[in-house]
Amino acid sequence: MTNHMGETMNWTRLAGLAAAGLALCGCAHAASTSRAAQSPGASAHSARETAARAADKTADKTAGNRDSTLTSQPSRPVLELTGNLEARPGQLVSIRLDFISRAQGHDAVTAHSPAFSGPVKLQWQNDDSYGATHPLAMTDKAGWYPIEVSIAGRTVARDRIHVLRSERPSFTMTFGSDVARPGEPLWLNFDDLYPGERGTDFTVRSAALRRPVRLVHDEQNDFYNPRAFSARAELAPGLSDGAYTFTLYGPHDHRIATRRLTVRASRPGDADYLGKVHGPDLYDPSIGYADSPHRHDFKVSPGGQVAVMWHDAAPDPGEETRLTATSPAFTQVLRLNRDDSKSADGDDPRYFNTATIRADLKPGRYPVTIVAHHRRVRKIGYLTVTARQSH
């Protein structure tokens, strides 16, 4: 148990004091009883009652002191600082003086520190505290700065602010995987908390993005840094492997900084590769996939048709709208469409379409090729084109 100063109370000492009080009361009343015995109007019973009442009062007083200790608040206001450690010039610092009533503060609570450009007046917060949020001076040098909070000129609390040196403006990009992947989220960040920096209109442009991205200040995540600007973007899903330039522009399209980012699609064997492909399956479209033998080899006559089926448990982002099958035997590139029919229930995502075989084709064996996962997965089936039947 602690007292109002935070010191541990010694209950043995309290018990000893209480016992001493009882003994003293007993002695005093014993003397009174002795004198009363010489008087015909006094009795030993009334003397014992008097001593008992005195003992009860002493015990009640001891218990009252203990209860008061349990519920008491600090005798002095408590200063709480946030954002004061390893802060940069221009960063915000929150100041809060707790355990003080408005009557005690008289609305005259002020913080003083050489880290600020001047005195900071704290406002009543309606929760038994005074508070304010104030920026550190941009001219601050690295080091420790004292801070004092006073009420009507009388200092009631002290602490310190640790300031780091200013950092040059920085433009950074972060992403979730070890290597930037087509179609994945990308976080763009610009921090220009530095003397002389101004403006709030910042935009990033890149061929790797679908459109220019505007950076904004995030009050929730960057509260203590008023010059932090960020945005969540997404790399275009159809990007080819390679290095892409990201350019940050300020007000009036002023070019501020550029960064290079290498983008590479995942391939079989990579930790983040999720593709699980099967195909191409070739079959007779007049019979259907379920009832027709489907294989990587299929016989067809010139001018005939062949159906192509492709399975992929996890296509790359956006890839399912770009899957194609190509063959020198086809009249044109075959775009594969997602099979949303009831017959596909329970199967991996699958994509299919029907191709027409060129009528002028010579007999022979022709490949049917599907390229997926940004050219990292290539599967080939074969068409055996028979001689044209004579009539």
Side-chain angles (χ1 to χ4, degrees), residues 280-298:
D281 287 336
L282 309 176
Y283 61 99
D284 187 342
S286 64
I287 300 177
Y289 183 76
D291 299 320
S292 172
H294 37 84
R295 57 183 73 89
H296 296 311
D297 239 312
F298 186 78

Side-chain angles (χ1 to χ4, degrees), residues 25 29 32-33 43-57:
C25 291
H29 286 285
S32 175
T33 303
S43 69
H45 176 73
S46 61
R48 284 193 298 271
E49 286 183 339
T50 302
R53 283 196 298 269
D56 290 342
K57 289 180 180 179

Side-chain angles (χ1 to χ4, degrees), residues 74-159:
S75 59
R76 293 174 61 86
V78 174
L79 174 60
E80 291 185 7
L81 301 178
T82 309
N84 62 309
L85 297 178
E86 298 184 354
R88 291 157 56 196
Q91 180 174 307
L92 301 180
V93 173
S94 290
I95 311 165
R96 178 185 172 104
L97 191 67
D98 278 323
F99 302 118
I100 180 172
S101 67
R102 191 167 191 177
Q104 291 172 308
H106 306 296
D107 287 343
V109 181
T110 307
H112 301 265
S113 175
F116 300 136
S117 56
V120 180
K121 185 174 182 181
L122 276 59
Q123 304 295 326
W124 175 245
Q125 305 297 312
N126 292 322
D127 62 353
D128 289 339
S129 73
Y130 278 84
T133 300
H134 199 76
L136 298 172
M138 292 301 298
T139 55
D140 282 355
K141 305 297 183 183
W144 289 88
Y145 293 79
I147 178 172
E148 296 182 351
V149 177
S150 62
I151 299 176
R154 181 175 63 87
T155 300
V156 296
R158 292 181 175 87
D159 207 328

Side-chain angles (χ1 to χ4, degrees), residues 168-175 186-191 203-209 215 235 242-249 255-263:
R168 297 290 302 180
S170 63
F171 171 42
T172 58
M173 299 181 292
T174 56
F175 41 90
L186 177 74
W187 286 265
L188 307 169
N189 309 282
F190 180 49
D191 182 338
T203 304
V204 175
R205 298 190 181 101
S206 174
L209 301 172
L215 308 187
L235 294 170
Y244 293 84
T245 299
F246 291 74
T247 305
L248 172 68
Y249 294 89
R255 185 171 174 171
I256 298 176
T258 60
R259 289 288 180 270
R260 300 270 289 176
L261 179 65
T262 298
V263 179

Side-chain angles (χ1 to χ4, degrees), residues 149-385:
V149 177
S150 62
I151 299 176
R154 181 175 63 87
T155 300
V156 296
R158 292 181 175 87
D159 207 328
R160 294 195 301 170
I161 299 173
H162 185 206
V163 180
L164 304 178
R165 64 181 180 85
S166 290
E167 297 178 6
R168 297 290 302 180
S170 63
F171 171 42
T172 58
M173 299 181 292
T174 56
F175 41 90
S177 55
D178 293 336
V179 178
R181 305 297 193 195
E184 81 165 320
L186 177 74
W187 286 265
L188 307 169
N189 309 282
F190 180 49
D191 182 338
D192 73 341
L193 186 64
Y194 192 78
E197 299 301 321
R198 298 288 185 273
T200 58
D201 186 12
F202 302 106
T203 304
V204 175
R205 298 190 181 101
S206 174
L209 301 172
R210 295 180 178 181
R211 61 185 68 86
V213 177
R214 186 169 186 269
L215 308 187
V216 297
H217 178 63
D218 188 334
E219 185 73 20
Q220 181 175 358
N221 293 325
D222 294 309
F223 176 78
Y224 292 102
N225 183 350
R227 298 294 306 172
F229 304 88
S230 60
R232 181 187 183 278
E234 187 175 276
L235 294 170
L239 289 180
S240 299
D241 289 0
Y244 293 84
T245 299
F246 291 74
T247 305
L248 172 68
Y249 294 89
H252 312 294
D253 272 350
H254 170 64
R255 185 171 174 171
I256 298 176
T258 60
R259 289 288 180 270
R260 300 270 289 176
L261 179 65
T262 298
V263 179
R264 183 178 69 78
S266 62
R267 65 188 77 185
D270 288 347
D272 60 340
Y273 179 79
L274 300 177
K276 180 184 174 185
V277 303
H278 176 73
D281 287 336
L282 309 176
Y283 61 99
D284 187 342
S286 64
I287 300 177
Y289 183 76
D291 299 320
S292 172
H294 37 84
R295 57 183 73 89
H296 296 311
D297 239 312
F298 186 78
K299 286 185 178 181
V300 64
S301 60
Q305 289 188 319
V306 61
V308 181
M309 178 71 77
W310 175 258
H311 293 77
D312 192 343
D316 281 351
E319 183 179 57
E320 58 184 5
T321 62
R322 303 188 308 274
L323 284 170
T324 60
T326 60
S327 175
F330 293 168
T331 56
Q332 61 186 13
V333 173
L334 182 67
R335 181 174 295 278
L336 302 181
N337 303 314
R338 175 69 181 263
D339 184 4
D340 293 323
S341 68
K342 194 72 175 175
S343 63
D345 284 359
D347 202 353
D348 284 341
R350 64 192 199 185
Y351 308 84
F352 77 109
N353 208 344
T354 299
T356 300
I357 306 303
R358 287 167 46 192
D360 60 349
L361 210 60
K362 294 180 178 181
R365 195 166 185 255
Y366 296 87
V368 176
T369 304
I370 296 179
V371 178
H373 292 276
H374 301 278
R375 299 191 294 277
R376 297 302 180 186
V377 174
R378 180 185 297 269
K379 297 286 186 180
I380 300 176
Y382 291 93
L383 289 173
T384 298
V385 178

